[in-house]
Amino acid sequence: HLALLASQNFLIVATPYRLSFDYIRTCDDIIGRFERVAPHLARSYGALPVVGVGHSCGALLQVLITSLFPDTPRAANALISYNNKNVKDAVPFFEEVVAPLFVGLAGDRNVTLHHESDYSSEGNSINSGINYDIPSSTVAMNYALKLGRQAAQGQLPPDDLLTEIAKFTAPKKGPLSTLVPDKIIVPPTLRTTIQQTLVDPIVQAQREVGILSLPMLDQTLDVMEQIPSLIDEVADGARDFNPPPSSVRAAARKAYRARRTLLIQYRDDGLDESELIESLLGEAKNVMRMKRPMVEFEIERTTLDGFHATPCLAPPLEVATQIENVLSGAGGRGGDDNENSGSGGDEEKKTTVRENLRYKGADETVEELVRWMDEGNL
């Protein structure tokens, strides 16, 4: 629900990161991405306080950045649904089911298969030297996701991608291996004809009903694109996060240095560990007072209605406005002043829509963030 927060005159830098068992590497990646845009932001807006906001794993990463990376200052942190569990506690049946499955998917799948002509009349295998490589499942997933990305953008796959897929799926040896050309080239005229007569009409029809206008489609692909790398990490031996929870707790207790911290938890969140991190940050506060007695160190925890995924449920602001307008028959919210002239009854109807679609809690989360940042002059 970052668009709603941005509509309250906050500058939002959404830093994407890849899920990984190695939190330190992920933190490095986040910091590197932010630092690439920070100079431009400073030139455009001047010196601004940096407030870290993270949900679930993102909250944990903000704690690590604030504790282990002293050259990356944070004026404050908002930690939403913080949790820091072992893999076996976070993922049910990880050792028994998930890890063996991932190892199997990412393992060396090169297997020698025999054509029926490679057998003697007695049915015994003979050595013909013909091998058929079973493609790696994770590589196949990556290609499928690339095709999905092209489809989401309403484009035909480029020739290079078609060539890669053909070479990947074709046998490396044997009679069928010679059928794949070195490069697949779709003639420009044919590509244009297919695009204009088949693809574009479908894309236009989908956009008219709002399917391809949803950023959620791209966000879903962004999440799915991280699955193959996680499978590979498990196959390479990852069985817990780095650093493990005990080390994270020690770092937060001794080195956390953000002067203001807001903890947001939800009443029906069984994964939340906000109370634990509140206790650890209380110890960090005592450490800070010993080093710098004059420094203020504020920690606030608030509880809202909802569950672990509550802040992630809201659709993009534009889509949410359209949904509320259609289902409530009321005016819009945010943006144009002319859309905000609805009656109190209209606003009640919109509230009911948000409750029914279960993203009212996301709005309340934004309201809590805005209140906290305004109170701290952030």
Side-chain angles (χ1 to χ4, degrees):
H1 225 27
L2 297 179
L4 185 56
L5 188 59
S7 71
Q8 303 297 314
N9 297 320
F10 292 99
L11 178 64
I12 307 297
V13 180
T15 311
Y17 64 89
R18 298 191 69 83
L19 294 173
S20 172
F21 287 83
D22 191 339
Y23 288 149
I24 301 299
R25 185 175 61 188
T26 302
C27 288
D28 271 329
D29 182 49
I30 291 172
I31 293 170
R33 289 172 182 265
F34 178 77
E35 288 181 345
R36 284 196 289 271
V37 302
H40 172 72
L41 297 177
R43 289 192 298 269
S44 301
Y45 300 97
L48 295 174
V50 178
V51 179
V53 180
H55 168 257
S56 193
C57 179
L60 168 61
L61 296 176
Q62 295 291 5
V63 169
L64 287 174
I65 289 172
T66 310
S67 302
L68 301 180
F69 296 82
D71 295 332
T72 308
R74 292 283 189 270
N77 279 330
L79 311 178
I80 306 170
S81 297
Y82 175 90
N83 72 85
N84 176 33
K85 298 181 182 296
N86 292 303
V87 170
K88 64 179 182 180
D89 296 326
V91 182
F93 305 107
F94 178 79
E95 289 288 351
E96 299 83 356
V97 178
V98 177
L101 174 63
F102 281 11
V103 170
L105 288 173
D108 186 357
R109 311 303 293 284
N110 292 334
V111 179
T112 299
L113 301 180
H114 297 281
H115 190 271
E116 61 180 7
S117 62
D118 299 335
Y119 290 87
S120 66
S121 57
E122 291 79 17
N124 297 320
S125 172
I126 60 176
N127 185 8
S128 65
I130 299 177
N131 295 326
Y132 297 92
D133 294 331
I134 298 178
S136 163
S137 297
T138 54
V139 178
M141 289 180 196
N142 282 320
Y143 281 129
L145 290 166
K146 287 181 180 180
L147 290 174
R149 183 74 69 179
Q150 293 293 321
Q153 296 170 352
Q155 299 292 327
L156 292 173
D159 292 342
D160 288 344
L161 179 57
L162 292 175
T163 301
E164 288 181 22
I165 293 173
K167 290 182 176 180
F168 171 73
T169 55
K172 302 300 182 290
K173 297 180 181 179
L176 297 180
S177 63
T178 59
L179 299 179
V180 180
D182 290 335
K183 184 173 180 59
I184 294 178
I185 299 177
V186 179
T189 303
L190 177 60
R191 180 178 288 276
T192 300
T193 300
I194 295 174
Q195 184 74 39
Q196 293 178 348
T197 60
L198 296 178
V199 178
D200 287 349
I202 295 174
V203 170
Q204 183 61 33
Q206 291 175 323
R207 283 178 176 160
E208 288 177 357
V209 298
I211 295 178
L212 289 183
S213 65
L214 296 178
M216 287 187 198
L217 189 55
D218 273 340
Q219 293 174 7
T220 300
L221 287 170
D222 289 340
V223 173
M224 294 180 66
E225 283 175 350
Q226 302 185 56
I227 295 175
S229 62
L230 290 174
I231 292 175
D232 288 336
E233 283 190 57
V234 174
D236 290 338
R239 292 297 181 271
D240 205 348
F241 300 114
N242 174 44
S246 58
S247 298
V248 174
R249 291 193 294 269
R253 183 186 297 116
K254 297 176 181 178
Y256 186 85
R257 64 193 182 282
R259 298 186 181 184
R260 297 189 75 237
T261 301
L262 173 66
L263 302 170
I264 297 180
Q265 63 181 147
Y266 300 96
R267 288 187 173 85
D268 298 320
D269 185 354
L271 298 174
D272 185 89
E273 294 183 321
S274 293
E275 294 179 20
L276 171 61
I277 192 64
E278 181 182 28
S279 173
L280 296 172
L281 299 188
E283 296 182 45
K285 179 178 180 178
N286 295 331
V287 173
M288 179 67 73
R289 280 180 174 173
M290 292 176 62
K291 295 179 179 179
R292 299 180 182 179
M294 302 302 293
V295 172
E296 294 292 332
F297 200 102
E298 300 177 8
I299 305 168
E300 178 182 346
R301 178 167 58 89
T302 187
T303 302
L304 303 176
D305 289 332
F307 58 105
H308 194 72
T310 288
C312 307
L313 294 179
L317 187 58
E318 179 183 351
V319 176
T321 300
Q322 294 174 355
I323 292 173
E324 291 167 19
N325 289 345
V326 170
L327 296 183
S328 70
R333 62 165 171 166
D336 194 305
D337 289 339
N338 293 329
E339 294 183 350
N340 290 319
S341 57
S343 65
D346 287 346
E347 190 57 40
E348 290 179 4
K349 292 178 181 177
K350 287 194 228 176
T351 299
T352 301
V353 170
R354 292 194 285 272
E355 289 176 345
N356 292 339
L357 296 180
R358 305 199 71 180
Y359 65 87
K360 181 174 178 287
D363 285 3
E364 292 174 344
T365 302
V366 171
E367 292 170 2
E368 186 64 20
L369 287 170
V370 171
R371 174 202 64 77
W372 173 74
M373 286 190 281
D374 283 346
E375 288 180 357
N377 295 317
L378 297 170

